[in-house]
């Protein structure tokens, strides 16, 4: 009986060992299925964990590695070259090699035909402008020569194209320049002291000529202008903006004779209007014409233009001052 019990115990032990071996094999197989790329580096530790009496022929080894998978032949050298390129300083960018994208010959550099070629190195702005495809020669020239001054919208107030600088003097006291009269000394020397002009009555519509004495009327206008100049503030007073007109010699109407102003601006009788203090009868366009050809600012209200016209004519008559 004792022999039977010992035999039964040995059989049970062998069965348990076989079951443990099969279960461990299943576990290793399952691990290989779940983790196909996993491998165990510490092979000695795995052997120590397994039972000592398991047959090595039925033992499946697994290894876990944290290193990347093995690279194909030649790829390691390629990665090293890539790392060297990233760590090395980047060279300056070059223009595309496509001939269609290349700038035309001479497009990046502008050179005057009267200026000899220079051997100096171009500026960085010019080099950057010329390296671009289809570079603009104006932009490259601006980068080389620096910024240019801003052009004025109205560069000059001189005579426009198509008009002559001189005209036929419309009156004996007028010069061959537009909107200009002779000085008083010259007129007195030439015995031109009577200034005549044409007026028209607003009631009876008759036209006739009236005359002003140069010396007498000029003194009246000059005294009023320089005595009240400090209170004008660069604006014509009401006496000039709304002038008192002479009476009609035919119908007797008061303030009915209006000066006849030429339709052509170059034929306006400026001196006659000044002596009669009737420049206020001119339109804004006629006053702007006067300021334009006497080099005065003409973008202003009518009272400012009228103020400028009065004092400019006084300056022309007496250039040395009052």
């Amino acid at each position: 009986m004792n022999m039977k019990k010992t035999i039964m115990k040995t059989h049970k032990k062998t069965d348990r060992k076989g079951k443990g071996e099969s279960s461990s094999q299943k576990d290793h197989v399952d691990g290989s299925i779940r983790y196909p790329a996993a491998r165990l580096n510490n092979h000695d530790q795995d052997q120590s964990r397994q039972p000592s009496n398991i047959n090595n022929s039925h033992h499946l080894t697994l290894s876990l590695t944290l290193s990347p998978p093995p690279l194909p032949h030649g790829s390691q050298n390629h990665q090293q070259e890539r790392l060297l390129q990233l760590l090395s300083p980047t060279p300056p960018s070059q223009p595309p090699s496509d001939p269609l994208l290349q700038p035309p010959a001479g497009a990046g550099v502008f050179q005057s035909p009267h200026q000899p070629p220079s051997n100096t190195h171009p500026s960085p702005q010019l080099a950057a402008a010329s390296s671009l495809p289809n570079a603009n020669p104006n932009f490259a020239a601006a980068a080389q020569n620096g910024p240019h001054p801003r052009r004025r919208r109205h560069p000059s107030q001189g005579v426009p194209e198509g008009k002559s600088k001189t005209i036929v003097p419309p009156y004996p006291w007028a010069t061959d320049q537009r909107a200009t009269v002779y000085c008083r000394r010259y007129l007195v020397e030439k015995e031109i002291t009577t200034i005549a002009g044409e007026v028209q009555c607003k009631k009876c519509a008759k036209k006739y000529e009236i005359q002003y004495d140069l010396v007498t009327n000029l003194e009246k206008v000059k005294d009023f202008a320089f005595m009240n100049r400090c209170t004008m503030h660069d604006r014509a007073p009401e006496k000039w903006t709304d002038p008192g007109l002479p009476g009609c010699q035919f119908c007797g109407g008061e303030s009915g004779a209006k000066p006849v102003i030429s339709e052509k601006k170059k034929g306006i009788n400026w001196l006659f209007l000044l002596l009669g203090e009737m420049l206020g009868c001119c339109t804004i366009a006629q006053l702007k014409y006067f300021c334009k050809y006497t080099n005065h600012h003409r973008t202003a209200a009518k009272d400012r233009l009228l103020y400028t016209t009065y004092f400019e004519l006084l300056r022309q008559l007496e250039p040395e001052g009052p």
Side-chain angles (χ1 to χ4, degrees), residues 158-225:
V159 181
E161 296 182 359
K163 291 186 178 182
S164 60
K165 294 183 179 180
T166 59
I167 59 173
V168 178
Y171 307 100
W173 47 86
T175 66
D176 57 352
Q177 303 292 324
R178 301 172 189 269
T180 309
V181 297
Y182 288 107
C183 63
R184 183 180 67 170
R185 180 181 299 177
Y186 175 84
L187 295 175
V188 171
E189 290 177 358
K190 298 293 182 181
E191 297 182 355
I192 306 174
T193 56
T194 302
I195 310 301
E198 190 178 15
V199 296
Q200 183 180 11
C201 181
K202 294 186 290 185
K203 294 182 179 179
C204 62
K206 289 186 177 180
K207 293 181 180 181
Y208 57 95
E209 185 180 85
I210 59 176
Q211 297 178 352
Y212 291 113
D213 182 70
L214 174 64
V215 179
T216 304
N217 289 85
L218 180 60
E219 289 296 327
K220 291 181 181 179
V221 177
K222 184 177 64 175
D223 292 343
F224 176 81

Side-chain angles (χ1 to χ4, degrees), residues 239-243 259 261 273 277-283 287 302 306 310:
K239 182 180 180 180
W240 290 350
T241 56
D242 188 15
I261 301 176
L273 297 175
E277 295 182 283
M278 295 183 290
L279 286 170
C281 297
C282 296
T283 62
L287 295 175
K302 184 177 180 179
L306 192 59
Y310 265 97

Side-chain angles (χ1 to χ4, degrees), residues 261-289:
I261 301 176
S262 174
E263 294 182 357
K264 293 184 177 181
K265 297 181 180 66
K266 64 181 180 180
I268 297 176
N269 195 351
W270 297 105
L271 184 56
F272 172 76
L273 297 175
L274 173 70
L275 298 178
E277 295 182 283
M278 295 183 290
L279 286 170
C281 297
C282 296
T283 62
I284 296 180
Q286 293 167 344
L287 295 175
K288 285 184 176 180
Y289 172 87

Side-chain angles (χ1 to χ4, degrees), residues 5-322:
K5 289 181 180 181
T6 53
I7 293 170
M8 292 295 291
K9 288 180 180 180
T10 54
H11 282 295
K12 286 180 181 180
K13 290 180 180 180
T14 54
D15 292 338
R16 289 175 182 175
K17 290 179 181 180
K19 288 180 181 180
E21 183 179 357
S22 62
S23 62
S24 62
Q25 290 178 359
K26 289 180 180 180
D27 294 337
H28 285 294
V29 173
D30 294 339
S32 64
I33 293 173
R34 294 177 185 176
Y35 308 98
R39 296 180 182 179
L40 290 174
N41 290 329
N42 301 326
H43 182 66
D44 296 336
Q45 295 179 2
D46 294 339
Q47 288 181 355
S48 63
R49 292 176 184 176
Q50 298 295 332
S52 60
N53 55 356
I54 296 176
N55 191 7
N56 291 331
S57 62
H58 300 285
H59 179 67
L60 298 177
T61 60
L62 295 176
S63 64
L64 294 175
T65 58
L66 299 177
S67 61
L71 299 173
H73 181 69
S75 60
Q76 188 173 4
N77 297 332
H78 178 70
Q79 281 194 350
Q80 292 178 357
E81 292 178 358
R82 181 62 179 170
L83 289 174
L84 290 175
Q85 290 179 0
L86 292 175
L87 295 176
S88 62
T90 57
S93 60
Q94 297 180 356
S97 59
D98 192 355
L100 296 177
L101 299 178
Q102 294 293 334
V109 180
F110 175 79
Q111 189 169 357
S112 174
H114 303 287
Q115 182 180 3
S118 60
N119 296 325
T120 58
H121 297 284
S123 60
Q125 294 85 354
L126 179 60
S130 60
S131 63
L132 295 175
N134 299 329
N136 190 355
N138 297 329
F139 176 76
Q144 183 181 12
N145 301 329
H148 296 280
R150 182 174 176 268
R151 295 182 62 185
R152 296 179 58 185
R153 184 174 297 179
H154 303 288
S156 64
Q157 295 183 352
V159 181
E161 296 182 359
K163 291 186 178 182
S164 60
K165 294 183 179 180
T166 59
I167 59 173
V168 178
Y171 307 100
W173 47 86
T175 66
D176 57 352
Q177 303 292 324
R178 301 172 189 269
T180 309
V181 297
Y182 288 107
C183 63
R184 183 180 67 170
R185 180 181 299 177
Y186 175 84
L187 295 175
V188 171
E189 290 177 358
K190 298 293 182 181
E191 297 182 355
I192 306 174
T193 56
T194 302
I195 310 301
E198 190 178 15
V199 296
Q200 183 180 11
C201 181
K202 294 186 290 185
K203 294 182 179 179
C204 62
K206 289 186 177 180
K207 293 181 180 181
Y208 57 95
E209 185 180 85
I210 59 176
Q211 297 178 352
Y212 291 113
D213 182 70
L214 174 64
V215 179
T216 304
N217 289 85
L218 180 60
E219 289 296 327
K220 291 181 181 179
V221 177
K222 184 177 64 175
D223 292 343
F224 176 81
F226 288 100
M227 286 180 62
N228 299 280
R229 185 174 185 177
C230 58
T231 60
M232 293 182 184
H233 304 290
D234 296 340
R235 293 180 182 271
E238 186 178 359
K239 182 180 180 180
W240 290 350
T241 56
D242 188 15
L245 302 177
C248 181
Q249 296 179 359
F250 295 94
C251 64
E254 296 181 357
S255 301
K258 187 177 181 180
V260 178
I261 301 176
S262 174
E263 294 182 357
K264 293 184 177 181
K265 297 181 180 66
K266 64 181 180 180
I268 297 176
N269 195 351
W270 297 105
L271 184 56
F272 172 76
L273 297 175
L274 173 70
L275 298 178
E277 295 182 283
M278 295 183 290
L279 286 170
C281 297
C282 296
T283 62
I284 296 180
Q286 293 167 344
L287 295 175
K288 285 184 176 180
Y289 172 87
F290 180 88
C291 294
K292 175 181 178 180
Y293 289 102
T294 53
N295 297 325
H296 287 283
H297 187 69
R298 61 184 185 274
T299 306
K302 184 177 180 179
D303 54 355
R304 290 186 180 274
L305 297 174
L306 192 59
Y307 173 89
T308 304
T309 305
Y310 265 97
F311 281 94
E312 173 60 26
L313 286 171
L314 291 175
R315 187 195 65 80
Q316 291 179 10
L317 290 168
E318 294 187 352
E320 64 277 0

